[in-house]
Amino acid sequence: MNQPTYVDEFTRDIAFSPASTALVVVDMQNASGSREYGLGRLLAERGTLASAAYRFDRIEQLIVPNTQRLLDCFRSLNALVVYITLGPTMADYSDAPAHL
């Protein structure tokens, strides 16, 4: 018999009511999460984009796909989805901090 892994040992099934549960998506923005815009563009212009490869790899390979899976699930259940955007609101990011 296999020993449970750390993840198996601490993972539990959950149940929720779509009528009383919301998915809150916080700060999924190109300004700070894209290699091509905002922070990614700034790092590329400085020639230091490779220094943030781990960050952008995790965003692209884990955060975005898992967020999409959650969104698909909540939408299929007609559950509420709320987006919270922190930071710049202008399309050209002119109101963003300098590092973005």
Side-chain angles (χ1 to χ4, degrees):
M1 184 171 169
N2 290 336
Q3 286 280 343
T5 67
Y6 173 83
V7 172
D8 293 334
E9 186 175 348
F10 292 100
T11 298
R12 303 288 181 257
D13 289 336
I14 61 166
F16 65 91
S17 167
S20 62
T21 305
L23 173 63
V24 180
V25 180
V26 179
D27 218 12
M28 294 291 293
Q29 301 177 72
N30 283 331
S32 59
S34 170
R35 291 177 205 261
E36 298 173 20
Y37 302 98
L39 178 60
R41 179 184 290 169
L42 176 67
L43 294 174
E45 288 170 355
R46 291 181 177 174
T48 60
L49 183 58
S51 70
Y54 177 80
R55 169 195 171 82
F56 292 115
D57 288 347
R58 301 281 292 180
I59 290 169
E60 293 165 359
Q61 296 168 15
L62 293 172
I63 295 171
V64 171
N66 284 325
T67 301
Q68 189 61 56
R69 287 178 46 222
L70 285 167
L71 287 166
D72 292 345
C73 177
F74 272 70
R75 288 177 178 146
S76 74
L77 298 170
N78 292 318
L80 182 63
V81 174
V82 177
Y83 295 91
I84 298 175
T85 301
L86 305 171
T89 57
M90 303 297 289
D92 67 354
Y93 307 119
S94 61
D95 61 335
H99 69 282
L100 296 180

